[in-house]
């Protein structure tokens, strides 16, 4: 790498990194795009796929490196991000600034800055924030003039006013040439196609205010979309360039503007892309308002799967979290998807403050009700509510005994799909109840989510062997969930131990 005008960007492991769970590091690609366009040398290192990531990191850092950037979510990724930051510090003698960005530094910029492994943070969307920061660092300018960043000055942390949200029409194309795209092309857990790629977003944000979600604070409840023409280009270009037979569109709310979504679908049909696709989120109430004609166009364009945030099997909890839907609407959406032969994939959550175990059972029972109504229905890992600063329900959680971590390292085990035996994340439940909630979450992974993930492993031999051998295990955990057998289980203790050792703390890769 040249020793002039170069930037090193690193994406840490997230924990469960295999198959189609390993998507391109879009957070890094988006901030790299403006700088790459101007001729800066960008080295993107992905700890999830680069077996020689440490060598690439140390060789990528040189006297010409302007800064090193790390993208980070709350939870396990912090553990690996700190590991990366330590290597950068040692390799550069502290001469290269370490910039953290992503959801966690955005919701807790000041606390993140207090870490010795953080020099600066980008808050919120970093597309132009990071660009301006790099330009300022290159000319030794004043950090106080850069909107949307936090930094240290005279032993204190400083967080500047935010940068306005970017106009999606000004968003640059994904600079695919900066990564080995084949590392992110997989068979898909839902679409059952062989060459699926997460192509990024055609819209950003969400206008709703769900109590558990940080989108409202990060993007100010503003939904912004690319034009139909720009969206179509973002889809067709990688499909043709990489010979894809399917795509994942990462939008939080792709279908919220049904007219725009239908126009994109009509263009996909006209282009004869012959792909299957799905998006990150679709609301059941929005889907229920769609006409049969609109859904037929959606399906004809290749939308074989729609992901729905059902969240709970109890209307009281749905009202508590301000979801804006009812259980009955979820049931209706499931039947509507069945009518149009679209696979619905539902996300559910348990462990809210004031939630009773009767209500938890209702949520577990909703799985089997939806599956009975529609055998093709799929289910993601059942999350355990995990309060985050900046979310609408955070103060409510504090009122019910939550004591959040006081430093960056304390958030390492703040995972929504993990046990909370110590009572740090859900202290409103007693020890026995917390164990049962953890068992439910794990059993949902083992019964539903893991079998789907196995289908996305690239190695055909490993995929088939695991699928055959795992079938009776999956059936066992489905039985336990159905019959509410959530009590202490030695097998889950062992699985939890292995999961932490293999995925949360090691660099093992399963392709």
């Amino acid at each position: 790498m040249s020793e002039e005008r170069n930037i090193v960007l690193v994406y840490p492991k997230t924990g469960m990194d295999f198959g189609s769970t390993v998507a391109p590091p879009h957070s890094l690609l988006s901030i790299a795009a403006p700088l790459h366009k101007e001729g800066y040398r960008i080295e993107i290192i992905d700890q999830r796929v680069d077996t020689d990531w440490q060598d690439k990191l140390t060789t990528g850092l040189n006297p010409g490196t302007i800064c090193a950037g790390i993208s980070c979510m709350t939870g396990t990724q912090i553990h690996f991000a700190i590991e990366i930051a330590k290597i950068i510090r040692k390799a550069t003698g502290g001469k290269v600034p370490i910039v953290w960005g992503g959801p966690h530094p955005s919701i807790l910029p000041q606390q993140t800055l207090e870490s010795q492994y953080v020099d600066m943070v980008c808050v919120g969307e970093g597309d132009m924030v990071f660009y301006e920061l790099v330009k300022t660092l290159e000319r030794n300018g004043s950090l106080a003039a850069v909107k949307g960043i936090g930094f240290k000055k005279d032993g204190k942390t400083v967080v500047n006013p935010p940068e306005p949200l970017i106009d999606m029409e000004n968003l640059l194309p994904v600079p695919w040439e900066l990564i080995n795209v084949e590392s992110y092309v997989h068979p898909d857990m839902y679409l059952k196609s062989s060459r699926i790629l997460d192509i990024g977003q055609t819209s950003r944000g969400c206008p709703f205010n769900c109590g558990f979600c940080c989108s409202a604070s990060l993007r100010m409840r503003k939904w912004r979309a690319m034009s139909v023409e720009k969206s179509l280009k973002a889809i067709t270009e990688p499909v043709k360039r990489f010979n894809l037979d399917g795509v994942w569109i990462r939008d939080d709310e792709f279908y919220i503007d049904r007219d725009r979504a239908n126009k994109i679908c009509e263009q996909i049909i006209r282009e004869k892309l012959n792909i299957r696709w799905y998006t990150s989120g679709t609301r059941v109430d929005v889907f229920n308002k769609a006409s049969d004609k609109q859904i037929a166009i959606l399906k004809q364009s290749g939308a074989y799967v729609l992901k729905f945030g059902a969240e709970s099997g109890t209307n009281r909890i749905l009202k508590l979290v301000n979801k804006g839907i009812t259980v009955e609407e979820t049931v209706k959406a499931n039947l509507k998807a069945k009518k149009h032969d679209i696979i619905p994939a539902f996300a559910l959550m348990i462990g809210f403050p004031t939630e009773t175990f009767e209500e938890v059972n209702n949520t577990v029972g909703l799985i089997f009700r939806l599956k009975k109504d529609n055998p093709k229905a799929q289910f993601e890992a059942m999350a355990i509510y995990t309060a985050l600063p900046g979310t609408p329900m955070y103060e409510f959680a504090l009122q019910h005994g939550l004591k959040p971590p006081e430093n960056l390292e304390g958030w390492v085990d703040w995972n929504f799909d993990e046990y909370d035996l110590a009572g740090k994340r859900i202290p409103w439940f007693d020890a026995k109840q917390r164990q049962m909630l953890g068992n439910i979450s794990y059993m949902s992974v083992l019964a539903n989510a893991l079998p789907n993930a196995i289908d996305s492993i690239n190695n055909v031999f490993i995929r088939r062997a695991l699928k055959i051998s795992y079938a009776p295990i999956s059936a066992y955990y489905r039985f336990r969930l159905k019959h509410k057998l959530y009590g202490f289980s030695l097998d889950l203790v062992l699985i939890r131990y292995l999961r932490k050792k293999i995925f949360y703390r090691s660099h093992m890769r399963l392709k």
Side-chain angles (χ1 to χ4, degrees):
M1 177 182 285
S2 167
E3 293 192 0
E4 295 183 2
R5 301 202 323 163
N6 67 76
I7 298 128
V8 177
L9 302 175
V10 193
Y11 196 82
K13 274 173 58 74
T14 66
M16 296 293 286
D17 300 314
F18 67 92
S20 60
T21 65
V22 180
H26 283 290
S27 57
L28 300 184
L29 289 166
S30 65
I31 65 171
L35 295 162
H36 178 59
K37 183 180 179 181
E38 289 201 3
Y40 287 83
R41 292 289 301 273
I42 312 288
E43 176 82 8
I44 292 182
I45 300 166
D46 191 336
Q47 213 179 29
R48 302 167 302 165
V49 302
D50 294 325
T51 55
D52 58 344
W53 68 269
Q54 191 165 340
D55 288 339
K56 288 179 69 174
L57 177 58
T58 53
T59 57
L61 296 164
N62 59 59
T65 303
I66 298 170
C67 65
I70 302 173
S71 181
C72 188
M73 298 180 289
T74 305
T76 302
Q77 207 169 27
I78 294 175
H79 167 81
F80 291 103
I82 291 173
E83 174 188 51
I84 291 163
K86 288 179 179 179
I87 293 172
I88 295 171
R89 278 277 190 264
K90 184 177 180 180
T92 65
K95 294 180 181 179
V96 172
I98 302 174
V99 183
W100 286 48
H104 189 83
S106 293
I107 61 176
L108 284 172
Q110 290 180 316
Q111 188 188 81
T112 304
L113 281 166
E114 290 170 0
S115 170
Q116 62 179 310
Y117 305 113
V118 183
D119 296 316
M120 301 159 199
V121 298
C122 287
V123 181
E125 295 182 350
D127 308 74
M128 296 312 300
V129 173
F130 188 70
Y131 173 85
E132 293 297 338
L133 175 58
V134 168
K135 289 289 190 178
T136 301
L137 289 172
E138 188 177 23
R139 66 172 183 269
N140 293 317
S142 171
L143 294 177
V146 184
K147 291 182 178 179
I149 69 162
F151 59 99
K152 300 173 182 178
K153 182 178 181 181
D154 300 328
K156 297 180 180 180
T157 61
V158 179
V159 179
N160 293 343
E163 172 78 11
L165 295 174
I166 191 170
D167 183 336
M168 292 296 285
E169 284 300 286
N170 296 329
L171 200 64
L172 293 173
V174 178
W176 295 112
E177 59 275 14
L178 294 180
I179 60 173
N180 176 16
V181 173
E182 288 301 315
S183 295
Y184 306 96
V185 175
H186 309 280
D188 186 77
M189 64 178 73
Y190 294 124
L191 299 182
K192 313 304 181 188
S193 298
S194 59
R195 290 187 59 78
I196 307 293
L197 177 66
D198 173 350
I199 61 165
Q201 298 174 311
T202 69
S203 68
R204 287 182 182 177
C206 175
F208 299 96
N209 200 31
C210 299
F212 51 82
C213 181
C214 62
S215 177
S217 63
L218 293 178
R219 289 177 169 146
M220 296 176 278
R221 295 183 65 186
K222 293 182 179 180
W223 182 78
R224 297 156 293 136
M226 294 178 183
S227 64
V228 172
E229 295 72 23
K230 189 176 180 71
S231 299
L232 185 68
K233 187 175 181 180
I235 296 168
T236 57
E237 196 269 337
V239 167
K240 294 177 179 179
R241 182 175 175 181
F242 304 117
N243 192 30
L244 306 175
D245 57 11
V247 297
W248 174 16
I249 302 172
R250 186 175 277 271
D251 300 28
D252 289 333
E253 295 288 352
F254 177 82
Y255 208 55
I256 195 169
D257 182 341
R258 295 195 303 278
D259 182 60
R260 170 184 174 271
N262 278 4
K263 287 178 180 177
I264 293 173
C265 292
E266 288 171 346
Q267 290 297 325
I268 290 175
I269 295 168
R270 289 195 186 99
E271 288 284 330
K272 297 181 180 180
L273 292 184
N274 297 317
I275 57 171
R276 296 186 177 194
W277 62 272
Y278 65 95
T279 71
S280 294
T282 305
R283 287 181 62 92
V284 296
D285 52 349
V286 173
F287 180 69
N288 286 336
K289 292 174 184 176
S291 68
D292 285 348
K293 182 180 179 181
Q294 288 174 324
I295 297 177
I297 292 171
L298 192 70
K299 175 66 186 292
Q300 187 182 351
S301 72
Y304 279 71
V305 178
L306 290 178
K307 288 190 173 186
F308 294 105
E311 316 310 354
S312 177
T314 303
N315 284 329
R316 186 189 77 84
I317 294 297
L318 290 171
K319 185 176 181 180
L320 175 71
V321 304
N322 197 31
K323 182 64 183 179
I325 63 170
T326 64
V327 175
E328 292 72 26
E329 286 177 297
T330 295
V331 172
K332 180 180 179 181
N334 184 47
L335 292 172
K336 193 166 188 175
K338 178 183 179 182
K339 175 183 176 181
H340 291 274
D341 195 26
I342 291 175
I343 299 171
F346 295 100
L348 295 163
M349 192 178 299
I350 53 177
F352 295 101
T354 77
E355 187 173 23
T356 67
F357 253 82
E358 180 182 357
E359 291 170 323
V360 170
N361 286 336
N362 288 340
T363 299
V364 174
L366 183 60
I367 293 175
F368 297 95
R369 178 181 180 183
L370 295 174
K371 194 73 173 176
K372 182 179 179 181
D373 287 350
N374 183 358
K376 288 187 177 181
Q378 298 291 331
F379 301 90
E380 310 226 306
M382 189 174 292
I384 297 175
Y385 169 65
T386 302
L388 294 173
T391 57
M393 281 186 67
Y394 188 65
E395 288 300 320
F396 188 64
L398 292 176
Q399 292 168 15
H400 283 80
L402 180 73
K403 291 186 170 81
E406 297 180 352
N407 54 47
L408 179 63
E409 289 82 356
W411 296 94
V412 165
D413 292 318
W414 217 257
N415 296 314
F416 68 87
D417 59 350
E418 189 51 82
Y419 286 82
D420 180 27
L421 299 179
K424 294 179 180 179
R425 295 180 1 249
I426 48 173
W428 38 87
F429 291 101
D430 63 33
K432 182 179 179 181
Q433 291 172 328
R434 293 195 300 270
Q435 171 118 45
M436 291 171 69
L437 289 170
N439 287 349
I440 292 170
S441 181
Y442 261 52
M443 284 190 281
S444 75
V445 172
L446 296 164
N448 301 310
L450 189 56
N452 289 330
I454 288 172
D455 281 337
S456 70
I457 294 175
N458 273 323
N459 187 296
V460 176
F461 175 78
I462 293 177
R463 182 170 72 242
R464 289 177 179 173
L466 284 175
K467 193 169 184 178
I468 292 171
S469 60
Y470 192 76
I473 300 173
S474 176
Y476 166 70
Y477 287 109
R478 281 198 302 272
F479 176 86
R480 289 190 59 180
L481 276 176
K482 186 174 184 178
H483 294 279
K484 314 292 190 294
L485 302 175
Y486 313 143
F488 176 79
S489 181
L490 189 59
D491 54 327
L492 293 177
V493 174
L494 177 60
I495 290 169
R496 178 174 180 260
Y497 173 80
L498 293 174
R499 184 185 189 187
K500 186 170 185 177
K501 289 293 184 182
I502 294 173
F503 293 106
Y504 290 166
R505 295 295 182 267
S506 81
H507 292 282
M508 177 180 173
R509 292 170 179 80
L510 180 60
K511 296 183 179 181

